[in-house]
Amino acid sequence: MEEHKKTVATLASQVKQFSATKTPFRIYHGSTLSTRHSPRQRNQIIDVSSLNHVLKFDKSNKTVLVEPNVPMDQLVDATLAEGLLPKVVMELPNITVGGGTSIATANAANKTSSVQGVEIILGNGNIVWASPDEHRDLFFTAAGSCGSLGVITLLEMELIDARTHVELEYIPVSGTEEAVAQLKRYQHQSDVAYMDGILYSQTSGVIMIGRLTDQSTSGRVQRFDRAADPWFYMHAESILKSLAHTSEAFSRPTTQKEYVPVKTYLFRYDRGVFWSGLRAFKYFVTPFNALTRYLLDPFMYSRTMVHALHRSGIAAQTIIQDFAVPYSSASEFIDWTDERTGIWPLWLCPVKSAPLDQRSFSQGNNIKDDILLDVGIWDMGPKDSHAFIKLNRDFEQKVTELGGMKCLYAHAYYTEQEFWDIYDKDKYMDLRKKYHAESLPSVYDKVKVDLQGVAGGEVQKIEVSWTDWAYKRFWDTWPLGGLYGVASATKGFLVKSDFLLKR
């Protein structure tokens, strides 16, 4: 803890200097899972990349103090060594503890946030502890503000007793309505630790219910973390097809259970990054089969793939969005998504809303329900930039119409007026003033993109030099951008280099 205190004191001193000179600054974490561009200048950052340690366990109260840049797999390893697990674990191992607090989805059944309190450096350099009891407004709003209210330097997280395996039950569903019904059925059952679902089409999907257990000898043990193991989404689909055949043969619905080692379960979507790895095979016109997946396995993990996505420039053509809608609107939203894009599969995950008194900013003015259905939509979008922006704006408008929200880890295509029609600008700006955060970019500044005139307004004409033209042609020429991304990701993997900020 002493080393942590020294580091935080140094960071707080730097923030005070920025505050005294009225210098705007950004927070640098060293890595990201966001698809947003990260415009940073070395002389205008607060570098928190060294805050990556699990510091102190309180086993009697089942909590742990952890720094924000600890990735999920490191946290799970540390807690398992103590016979414990985080109450909520994000699906990908490279999501950090700090980053995870601003992502709405979590693979835990109807769980409230596992964060009990946070240490934050305010914009004037003061250090405060925020929790549901102290600085309540800052605690709940900071989680969804993309680092625009202060610098989080420490989190207290709630833990649960660990078990060796997850008993995973696969439940076939015939569409969105049945999927929602199954999620509602299980979300309040005390023995259910995890739940999510995948829809493969309008009429075919699976809900997966996880229960922590130490008993695995009575059933099949399945892993997903070795090169020869199946990708999880494909394995689930094969079980779904098998269950459909069994149901037809015996004229009755059926489910299937298997046992998964607990860490393997928690990061079951890492290989292939859900199903995004399939897009990489298509991009490089590579056969997609068990042999090629085995041979290319080192490239198929989220750390490498996110690195490659950023370096390749393909992120600008990729739809990576999570939208949360009320259960009652889920069928309409998924029907609309199919009609508008034809994108499948879709990921389903129930998420719990913030407390009612903190909901107006952290989740927008639309949210009325305590539990929403997160729908993960991940695929390639239109190559034409205007069509791409239009499609993303259509998604945002549809979700707003249905009383839902989008996760702000990705690009947002709202105009500034549209954004503040959803979020409580007065409350947010009052918080920024109260906690001296004016030197940090606002949440809208962090998520906005150039709408290129798609939403009206003037389009700034920029003269393009020959160098700029050649540069753009390089990135637009298949497969040069993708090859560069893979080469950069491979180098980063081998030498652990930083892909956000040049050293």
Side-chain angles (χ1 to χ4, degrees):
M1 288 297 294
E2 289 305 313
E3 187 65 31
H4 169 82
K5 290 177 181 178
K6 290 179 183 178
T7 301
V8 172
T10 300
L11 294 173
S13 176
Q14 293 171 358
V15 171
K16 279 186 178 179
Q17 291 177 11
F18 284 138
S19 177
T21 58
K22 299 187 183 303
T23 302
F25 67 93
R26 287 178 176 265
I27 304 167
Y28 171 66
H29 301 278
S31 65
T32 184
L33 201 65
S34 171
T35 57
R36 289 184 274 107
H37 177 57
S38 301
R40 292 175 170 85
Q41 299 180 39
R42 180 163 294 282
N43 62 346
Q44 291 180 273
I45 63 168
I46 294 298
D47 187 346
V48 298
S49 59
S50 65
L51 294 177
N52 56 5
H53 303 91
V54 179
L55 295 179
K56 185 179 180 181
F57 285 91
D58 183 342
K59 296 187 75 170
S60 60
N61 291 316
K62 295 182 181 176
T63 61
V64 62
L65 292 176
V66 58
E67 292 178 326
N69 282 340
V70 172
M72 284 291 155
D73 53 356
Q74 181 184 332
L75 178 62
V76 168
D77 286 340
T79 56
L80 281 175
E82 302 291 333
L84 299 165
L85 273 175
K87 184 179 179 183
V88 174
V89 179
M90 303 299 156
E91 289 74 20
L92 299 177
N94 50 326
I95 297 176
T96 60
V97 170
T101 62
S102 63
I103 298 177
T105 59
N107 60 0
N110 192 28
K111 296 294 191 291
T112 56
S113 171
S114 64
V115 178
Q116 302 295 296
V118 292
E119 177 185 73
I120 303 180
I121 302 174
L122 302 182
N124 62 357
N126 291 344
I127 303 169
V128 301
W129 183 261
S131 71
D133 301 317
E134 304 174 73
H135 302 294
R136 178 181 174 87
D137 52 358
L138 178 63
F139 174 74
F140 283 105
T141 307
S145 66
C146 300
S148 64
L149 289 175
V151 184
I152 294 178
T153 54
L154 187 68
L155 302 94
E156 182 182 33
M157 301 191 69
E158 188 176 354
L159 306 173
I160 59 175
D161 290 325
R163 296 289 185 268
T164 61
H165 288 76
V166 171
E167 179 193 79
L168 187 56
E169 182 176 7
Y170 298 85
I171 304 169
V173 293
S174 59
T176 307
E177 291 187 5
E178 189 177 352
V180 168
Q182 291 290 357
L183 291 172
K184 285 182 176 180
R185 174 186 175 190
Y186 287 99
Q187 68 189 14
H188 296 299
Q189 294 187 13
S190 59
D191 66 329
V192 174
Y194 309 107
M195 59 193 304
D196 70 327
I198 303 172
L199 284 180
Y200 296 93
S201 71
Q202 285 277 24
T203 58
S204 177
V206 61
I207 296 298
M208 293 155 289
I209 304 299
R211 299 175 176 88
L212 287 165
T213 180
D214 289 323
Q215 304 297 322
S216 62
T217 56
S218 59
R220 174 187 175 188
V221 175
Q222 176 66 53
R223 290 176 59 178
F224 305 104
D225 51 2
R226 300 168 301 188
D229 292 332
W231 288 10
F232 178 73
Y233 90 96
M234 298 175 69
H235 177 73
E237 187 174 23
S238 68
I239 287 179
L240 179 62
K241 291 176 180 177
S242 175
L243 290 174
H245 177 75
T246 302
S247 178
E248 291 175 4
F250 293 95
S251 299
R252 60 180 174 83
T254 184
T255 68
Q256 181 172 318
K257 293 182 180 180
E258 61 188 10
Y259 294 86
V260 185
V262 64
K263 187 178 178 182
T264 298
Y265 171 81
L266 293 172
F267 304 123
R268 63 202 180 280
Y269 289 112
D270 185 29
R271 289 175 62 244
V273 194
F274 289 84
W275 36 88
S276 299
L278 171 62
R279 315 312 183 215
F281 281 82
K282 289 182 176 180
Y283 176 86
F284 288 109
V285 197
T286 302
F288 186 70
N289 54 49
L291 177 60
T292 55
R293 288 193 297 273
Y294 179 86
L295 295 174
L296 297 173
D297 187 68
F299 299 96
M300 291 293 110
Y301 293 81
S302 54
R303 282 183 169 90
T304 305
M305 290 191 67
V306 170
H307 189 145
L309 186 68
H310 276 273
R311 284 300 199 191
S312 68
I314 298 173
Q317 302 173 17
T318 308
I319 298 173
I320 302 179
Q321 300 280 4
D322 281 76
F323 298 100
V325 296
Y327 279 151
S328 58
S329 303
S331 289
E332 181 177 350
F333 178 65
I334 289 174
D335 288 348
W336 182 89
T337 299
D338 182 37
E339 292 171 3
R340 190 73 174 76
T341 69
I343 291 175
W344 299 101
L346 301 175
W347 188 57
L348 307 179
C349 182
V351 294
K352 192 171 180 64
S353 299
L356 187 60
D357 66 326
Q358 298 299 325
R359 200 173 293 172
S360 61
F361 175 75
S362 63
Q363 293 183 321
N365 301 315
N366 288 329
I367 305 305
K368 304 295 187 292
D369 295 16
D370 289 334
I371 297 178
L372 303 171
L373 182 66
D374 180 279
V375 182
I377 303 172
W378 314 309
D379 207 331
M380 297 302 296
K383 289 186 177 180
D384 177 77
S385 60
H386 282 207
F388 183 82
I389 292 169
K390 176 67 165 58
L391 176 60
N392 278 277
R393 283 182 51 77
D394 288 348
F395 267 114
E396 291 172 347
Q397 291 165 11
K398 187 64 178 179
V399 168
T400 301
E401 172 193 323
L402 296 176
M405 58 169 284
K406 69 175 288 179
C407 298
L408 296 180
Y409 71 82
H411 285 125
Y413 296 82
Y414 304 105
T415 65
E416 187 167 5
Q417 182 62 51
E418 290 167 343
F419 186 85
W420 293 121
D421 283 345
I422 296 170
Y423 297 96
D424 192 329
K425 183 177 182 179
D426 290 340
K427 182 176 181 179
Y428 172 71
M429 292 303 178
D430 286 346
L431 278 176
R432 278 171 60 85
K433 184 176 181 180
K434 177 180 178 180
Y435 291 109
H436 313 284
E438 292 92 342
S439 292
L440 285 159
S442 74
V443 63
Y444 178 72
D445 290 334
K446 295 195 74 170
V447 304
K448 70 179 181 180
V449 299
D450 178 7
L451 296 177
Q452 301 180 29
V454 173
E458 295 183 2
V459 180
Q460 184 178 2
K461 293 184 178 180
I462 302 174
E463 291 189 9
V464 179
S465 67
W466 184 90
T467 303
D468 292 335
W469 175 86
Y471 181 82
K472 187 176 186 304
R473 284 299 300 265
F474 173 86
W475 290 111
D476 287 346
T477 302
W478 176 89
L480 297 180
L483 289 172
Y484 177 80
V486 171
S488 177
T490 304
K491 176 185 175 183
F493 175 78
L494 293 174
V495 303
K496 308 298 182 186
S497 71
D498 174 356
F499 69 93
L500 286 184
L501 193 67
K502 294 291 186 182
R503 292 294 179 188

